[in-house]
Amino acid sequence: MRETILSETVLNETIPATILLIDDHPLLRKGVKQLIELDDELKVIAEASNAIDGIKMAKETEPDLILLDLNMPNINGIETLKMLRDEEVASRVIVFTVSDNEEDVVAALKAGADGYLLKDMEPEELLASLHQAALGKVVISDKLTTLLAQALQSGRSSNKSDISSLTPREKQIIKLIAGGLPNKLIARKLNITEGTVKVHVKHLLKKLHLRSRVEVAVWAVQEGLR
């Protein structure tokens, strides 16, 4: 009986989402790590104070999430993000910064960020966002949603022509992206291959003149496609 109870406990035990912190401020890294330690479903497994060490640790530890500072000396967060993608690091990368500048937000999303969070957010909100990111969902600070929407509107042509150019399958995929599903889950839900999903995403990004999944999610909410 005791062995059965122990087995059930092991089976029900939640495996925490692993996190790599890349930030040049040791005090901030310490604070974020202490906050995350309060949550049993999240775990910081490595830290780095610069891009080179961060990329090395990302390849060695393969974390689920990377929390990446934007303003770092020598190699900034955007360049670090591009380098991570060039190295085919599969971790979800969340930019964590003080900057709410429109150009920084757009540049980060264009470089392949899976989210953009501001350092002045409440601790509970940060933990909640990390949980969502670990599930494969897009995360972006609430105060940036309007700013990003305005940037999209000013950078694109007529919304009506954009919508009319989409195929029924592309509209399905957009709704699922807006719901926070990663390609693997979208493929499973639509009973198609992950490679096919990637092709559809590439085509719809081109049609909508968008540069990332986060922008797609914001656009979908704007257009009522969610």
Side-chain angles (χ1 to χ4, degrees):
M1 177 66 113
R2 186 182 176 188
E3 289 181 358
T4 302
I5 293 173
L6 287 173
S7 298
E8 289 178 354
T9 301
V10 171
L11 287 173
N12 292 330
E13 193 173 291
T14 302
I15 299 175
T18 54
I19 301 172
L20 164 63
L21 304 178
I22 306 179
D23 195 299
D24 62 313
H25 294 97
L27 189 60
L28 184 134
R29 291 200 311 273
K30 182 177 181 180
V32 171
K33 184 176 181 180
Q34 289 176 336
L35 173 65
I36 290 174
E37 285 175 348
L38 299 175
D39 194 316
D40 294 336
E41 296 181 8
L42 301 170
K43 182 179 182 181
V44 175
I45 58 170
E47 300 176 44
S49 61
N50 59 73
I52 300 302
D53 289 345
I55 293 168
K56 180 182 177 182
M57 289 182 183
K59 294 169 71 175
E60 290 177 355
T61 62
E62 298 183 348
D64 296 311
L65 302 174
I66 297 175
L67 210 52
L68 175 65
D69 184 26
L70 196 64
N71 301 310
M72 297 189 295
N74 300 321
I75 303 176
N76 64 33
I78 299 297
E79 292 304 315
T80 304
L81 177 53
K82 291 177 181 177
M83 292 166 70
L84 286 166
R85 294 313 186 205
D86 288 342
E87 292 289 337
E88 298 185 349
V89 172
S91 309
R92 295 179 63 76
V93 182
I94 311 302
V95 171
F96 189 48
T97 178
V98 297
S99 175
D100 59 0
N101 182 279
E102 177 185 313
E103 291 182 1
D104 288 336
V105 178
V106 173
L109 301 180
K110 183 178 180 181
D114 297 293
Y116 196 105
L117 301 176
L118 297 177
K119 289 180 177 178
D120 64 356
M121 68 193 307
E122 293 295 328
E124 296 80 7
E125 292 177 357
L126 174 58
L127 291 177
S129 294
L130 292 177
H131 276 283
Q132 293 298 305
L135 292 173
K137 295 186 177 182
V138 170
V139 290
I140 185 166
S141 289
D142 290 339
K143 67 169 65 176
L144 295 176
T145 305
T146 301
L147 179 150
L148 182 56
Q150 291 173 343
L152 296 183
Q153 287 179 335
S154 64
R156 296 188 295 109
S157 57
S158 169
N159 288 338
K160 289 185 178 179
S161 61
D162 287 338
I163 293 174
S164 65
S165 70
L166 297 171
T167 66
R169 177 65 87 189
E170 287 168 348
K171 289 180 181 179
Q172 280 184 308
I173 291 175
I174 286 175
K175 289 179 182 178
L176 295 173
I177 289 175
L181 271 66
N183 288 344
K184 186 176 292 185
L185 292 183
I186 292 175
R188 191 179 303 168
K189 193 173 184 66
L190 298 180
N191 198 28
I192 57 179
T193 67
E194 188 174 355
T196 300
V197 174
K198 289 179 179 178
V199 171
H200 281 304
V201 171
K202 182 179 178 181
H203 288 166
L204 67 87
L205 285 173
K206 185 175 181 180
K207 287 181 179 180
L208 299 175
H209 311 293
L210 302 178
R211 293 162 288 195
S212 74
R213 297 170 69 90
V214 177
E215 291 188 351
V216 170
V218 174
W219 180 86
V221 173
Q222 282 184 294
E223 299 301 321
L225 293 180
R226 190 167 181 175

